[in-house]
Amino acid sequence: MEKKIDWTVFLFILGYHILLIVFLQIYLFTKGFPSKEILYSFLILFIAAGISITAGYHRLYSHKSYRANKLLESVLLFFGTLALQGSVISWVHGHRLHHSHVDTEKDPYCIKKGFLFAHIVWLFYIPEPIKKEVVSDLYQKKYLRFQHKYYNLLTISLNIFIALFLGFLFKDVFGGFVFLFLLRIFATHHTTWFINSLAHTWGKHSFSKEFSAVDNYIIALLTFGEGYHNFHHTFPTDYRNGIKWYHFDP
């Protein structure tokens, strides 16, 4: 069955890339580099969103590799929503299918369909309907059902509010939009997508050669430790990213 294009997702991803290219150049040519407050805010939001994806969406919800108290879970859910990668339920559904059918036709972002497909193109197609039996544990939680139902409203309003609020606070609304929204979303998206593409092509099969996932120290630095991906696919319920003292595992 031929998949249909998800035009909303396609146009959004294409659109913010174009806006970033245009507005970043305009900002740098007209204003120079942004203030340290804008840069620090970018770094803090990027780290918070990235860790909330790996520690929240991935390790906590997808693999249930540890338990979190309500405060920590709330923080991870907030910044995970800010990452603009879909609701917990939709993200986990796709990821669990990935682990169950890795490197096969049923893998949502199968690397055997090409590097570019695994990195970004898979997002341009309408995903298969969520099978509740795959994420039945998540549907039992009211706040995850709420986030899933109102995800578009929540993520758009949160992202716009935070970017513009911090831009207004630091007297640089344009900089807030360019760096705290466009550039941050770009960085958060592509570092996460590196796991589906680079971490399945470039590195070592340290623990298992049965699947394409590999371990790569450089990718780990870009993805808050997720680059030790062969380890993860071999031991998917382990809460750790790296297991050596020198592994980058925030």
Side-chain angles (χ1 to χ4, degrees):
M1 182 177 179
E2 186 177 354
K3 291 186 176 182
K4 296 182 179 180
I5 299 293
D6 188 331
W7 288 105
T8 300
V9 172
F10 174 77
L11 291 175
F12 173 76
I13 292 177
L14 176 64
Y16 88 72
H17 278 77
I18 293 174
L19 288 177
L20 176 61
I21 292 171
V22 173
F23 287 145
L24 181 59
Q25 292 185 79
I26 292 175
Y27 186 96
L28 293 177
F29 277 115
T30 59
K31 293 178 174 292
F33 288 103
S35 66
K36 62 180 181 181
E37 290 84 3
I38 291 291
L39 291 177
Y40 289 155
S41 296
F42 166 83
L43 187 61
I44 291 171
L45 291 173
F46 171 70
I47 292 173
I51 289 182
S52 293
I53 291 297
T54 177
Y57 275 45
H58 192 193
R59 304 293 168 148
L60 176 61
Y61 293 120
S62 294
H63 297 290
K64 298 186 287 187
S65 59
Y66 69 96
R67 294 180 181 180
N69 61 42
K70 293 300 181 182
L71 177 59
L72 175 58
E73 190 173 1
S74 298
V75 172
L76 294 174
L77 189 59
F78 177 85
F79 286 106
T81 302
L82 203 64
L84 234 166
Q85 296 187 22
S87 71
V88 167
I89 288 175
S90 62
W91 200 101
V92 171
H93 180 264
H95 190 71
R96 288 179 178 176
L97 292 179
H98 168 64
H99 272 268
S100 298
H101 307 289
V102 63
D103 297 335
T104 70
E105 186 65 31
K106 294 182 179 180
D107 182 349
Y109 24 91
C110 180
I111 191 63
K112 292 188 177 181
K113 294 181 181 180
F115 181 92
L116 197 59
F117 177 88
H119 187 75
I120 190 172
V121 172
W122 69 276
L123 290 162
F124 300 155
Y125 295 100
I126 296 175
E128 64 176 86
I130 292 177
K131 301 174 182 177
K132 288 192 176 182
E133 63 270 20
V134 176
V135 285
S136 59
D137 55 316
L138 303 182
Y139 269 103
Q140 294 175 11
K141 299 183 177 183
K142 291 182 179 180
Y143 50 91
L144 295 184
R145 295 201 306 269
F146 177 86
Q147 189 224 26
H148 181 66
K149 183 177 181 179
Y150 299 104
Y151 181 77
N152 289 337
L153 176 62
L154 289 171
T155 192
I156 292 172
S157 58
L158 279 176
N159 273 287
I160 292 177
F161 173 77
I162 289 179
L164 296 184
F165 172 77
L166 291 175
F168 178 79
L169 182 65
F170 300 131
K171 300 179 180 179
D172 188 2
V173 174
F174 187 34
F177 177 69
V178 173
F179 292 92
L180 305 185
F181 180 68
L182 294 176
L183 185 60
R184 178 181 58 81
I185 294 301
F186 173 88
T188 299
H189 276 174
H190 282 280
T191 50
T192 300
W193 298 341
F194 281 157
I195 302 303
N196 302 331
S197 54
L198 281 174
H200 279 268
T201 56
W202 178 38
K204 296 181 179 179
H205 291 87
S206 307
F207 297 90
S208 176
K209 296 182 179 180
E210 297 178 4
F211 31 72
S212 60
V214 293
D215 289 338
N216 187 294
Y217 298 127
I218 296 176
I219 299 174
L221 292 175
L222 299 174
T223 58
F224 304 98
E226 286 286 355
Y228 307 111
H229 208 49
N230 187 261
F231 169 77
H232 172 62
H233 268 270
T234 308
F235 309 102
T237 59
D238 196 308
Y239 70 93
R240 298 168 295 179
N241 280 317
I243 58 173
K244 302 293 186 180
W245 68 266
Y246 52 83
H247 284 165
F248 179 61
D249 186 7

